[in-house]
Amino acid sequence: MIEVEKKFKLSEGDLDLLLSGAVFISEKEFCDVYFDDGLYSLTTNDIWLRKRGKVFELKLPVSKIRSVDTDQYEEISDESLIKKFLKLDNALSIDFSIKSRGFFPFCECRTLRRKFKKDEFVIDVDFVNFFDFSYEIAEIELVVSDKTEISNASDKIHNFAKNFGLKNERVRGKVIEYLYNKKIEHYNALVSSGVYLDK
């Protein structure tokens, strides 16, 4: 499955309007730890390795072309597939094999997520705690099964957001926001590599 998503920074009024008539799905809190090496070899290729709770997940870009429209990722949570993609030692535990490859935590955060459903869209509203500062962000998402559906899903998200007066602009995701505030060298590497469009 492919996640097609668009992030937004919303005022209280924007959020109230967006969630009017939406169906509340769930509220949960989780901790994410993101990993990379000293050369940023994963993230500068738009590859995001994280541990959410006790489960490792790998987010891979569907396309190398970046835009302000939407992000598109394939998400892998099968440990054997993660090991295969990252060329890790299959005989070792994933924790140890990640460490032995030189990947280490570069960002840790705790997120309180409220999830809603409105029409065919899933809306996530996140309050993110980085322990010394916080960040609030919303995301509108559609899940598709094939790459040929991405363009149509992006258009749907854009038009849905436009109906509520939301701007089609680049918004920093939570990890990008953390790097912008705390690890500017890593952030600049993402900008230089084209992973994040800083405009």
Side-chain angles (χ1 to χ4, degrees), residues 73-89:
Y73 290 97
E74 178 184 4
E75 193 169 296
I76 300 172
S77 56
D78 184 308
E79 284 193 7
S80 62
L81 294 178
I82 293 173
K83 286 181 175 180
K84 182 177 180 181
F85 183 87
L86 296 177
K87 298 179 173 59
L88 303 176
D89 189 335

Side-chain angles (χ1 to χ4, degrees), residues 153-172:
S154 295
D155 289 343
K156 284 183 176 182
I157 291 172
H158 176 70
N159 291 331
F160 177 73
K162 189 177 180 181
N163 288 336
F164 298 97
L166 304 182
K167 295 179 181 178
N168 183 36
E169 59 188 4
R170 195 72 173 160
V171 173
R172 290 191 288 267

